[in-house]
Amino acid sequence: MPHMHRRTFMAGLAAGLLQGACPLFAAEAPRIVSLDYGLSSTLLSLGVVPAGIADLADWHIWVVEPEMPPSVVDLGAAMQVNFEVLAALKPDLILTTPYLEQLKPKLETVATVLQLDIYAPDGGDILPKAIAATRKLGAAIGRTAEAEDFIGKAEATFDACSARVNRAGPRPLALVNLLDARHARIYSSPGLYDNVLARIGIPNAWTDKSNYWGFDTIGIEDLSKVRDPEARLIIFEPVPPDALPTLAESPLWNTLPFSRPGGYAILPGALMFGMVNEAVRFAGLVTDYLETVS
């Protein structure tokens, strides 16, 4: 982007962010980098390929879809962004979250920063905050129509999943990632997983409140708190290699109803700290599962 052109763009961006919209983006093709997986996948859904993202190397493990185009540059770990690579990309806009608040002053020396609050200490349900952030991002980069179209398609998917769940039978689910053979992260309100379960009509078998990220760390023995005999346990990938073999030999695990045949299932991962794309992926995975056990 020529120097004067870039200055004009930056001035428009600053004004647009203050007003909640930036008309210049509709005509230009700004170079945007993202330091958050959820914001990165949202960019793709709004028709924008980021110039670079953080933690690209693990995208296929935690996000999976949408596929990130090969042109995108890896900026390194989000908390340890490679500022040399970042500066070399000459971004017009850097997307970030409250999780990276401490980096914000340094990021602002490189480009304009747009911080979108989804997972924040002030709490609140994640799915509506992700939808609101999608609209804010769409307005900021001149993709308002694309954002509304994307959200509309996501809502239609949730509706379709809800109908399928109703036909299959809304069996309660407890949702975990195994940390090892003795500990797990379990997901509940106000997190993204919990919000999606509620949206599509599946009871969350774990009713305790969690932190604002939507999880709590528990011992495997705490799964005995789930009393509903209809409940099933969903273990999301990635699973530590030795966790399941160790659990199979654990007297404690073998006292739990989940250890019986059909009591648990292992599903592909869906980013638990994501936004709308990840909510849609999660909804599809658990709906497919319920249909197999109905």
Side-chain angles (χ1 to χ4, degrees):
M1 185 180 294
H3 181 63
M4 290 303 294
H5 202 175
R6 180 182 173 85
R7 290 180 60 186
T8 302
F9 166 80
M10 297 299 288
L13 171 60
L17 293 180
L18 289 173
Q19 298 167 9
C22 187
L24 276 180
F25 281 139
E28 302 291 342
R31 291 176 62 77
I32 303 175
V33 301
S34 170
L35 306 184
D36 175 80
Y37 278 156
L39 292 172
S40 300
S41 72
T42 303
L43 276 179
L44 292 178
S45 295
L46 302 188
V48 177
V49 176
I53 70 168
D55 296 302
L56 175 60
D58 291 335
W59 180 268
H60 67 291
I61 298 174
W62 296 107
V63 186
V64 184
E65 59 183 356
E67 184 177 354
M68 190 57 69
S71 63
V72 178
V73 173
D74 193 348
L75 297 170
M79 292 295 289
Q80 298 175 320
V81 171
N82 187 324
F83 274 85
E84 290 186 1
V85 175
L86 177 63
L89 288 176
K90 301 184 185 305
D92 300 304
L93 179 65
I94 300 171
L95 303 181
T96 186
T97 68
Y99 178 65
L100 302 173
E101 178 69 27
Q102 66 187 63
L103 294 180
K104 192 174 179 183
K106 191 171 182 180
L107 295 172
E108 288 174 334
T109 67
V110 178
T112 297
V113 173
L114 175 58
Q115 178 175 292
L116 292 162
D117 299 344
I118 304 143
Y119 296 85
D122 59 353
D125 286 336
I126 296 302
L127 183 57
K129 293 172 73 173
I131 291 172
T134 298
R135 288 196 167 101
K136 185 174 181 179
L137 176 59
I141 64 174
R143 301 275 173 153
T144 299
E146 289 84 351
E148 291 302 327
D149 181 63
F150 170 53
I151 293 167
K153 289 177 179 175
E155 295 286 6
T157 299
F158 295 145
D159 288 342
C161 286
S162 179
R164 292 169 57 197
V165 165
N166 189 52
R167 289 193 294 271
R171 195 186 299 268
L173 300 179
L175 310 163
V176 300
N177 276 104
L178 293 179
L179 301 178
D180 54 37
R182 299 177 59 188
H183 303 91
R185 279 183 176 176
I186 194 161
Y187 299 96
S188 61
S189 175
L192 186 68
Y193 282 180
D194 182 82
N195 289 178
V196 174
L197 288 184
R199 176 66 175 81
I200 64 177
I202 300 175
N204 192 336
W206 188 262
T207 56
D208 289 356
K209 291 279 187 180
S210 70
N211 61 24
Y212 68 85
W213 290 96
F215 74 89
D216 194 8
T217 300
I218 62 170
I220 292 298
E221 67 275 10
D222 291 323
L223 290 173
S224 64
K225 295 178 182 177
V226 178
R227 301 290 187 182
D228 191 326
E230 293 296 314
R232 295 294 183 271
L233 178 68
I234 301 297
I235 302 171
F236 286 100
E237 294 177 337
V239 180
D242 62 340
L244 291 176
T246 304
L247 279 176
E249 298 177 356
S250 164
L252 174 62
W253 167 255
N254 286 306
T255 63
L256 299 174
F258 294 135
S259 68
R260 298 168 187 163
Y264 76 93
I266 300 172
L267 297 187
L271 183 64
M272 65 292 290
F273 308 132
M275 293 179 58
V276 177
N277 269 315
E278 292 68 41
V280 168
R281 174 175 167 80
F282 169 78
L285 289 171
V286 294
T287 301
D288 290 348
Y289 165 73
L290 280 182
E291 288 180 330
T292 66
V293 297
S294 63

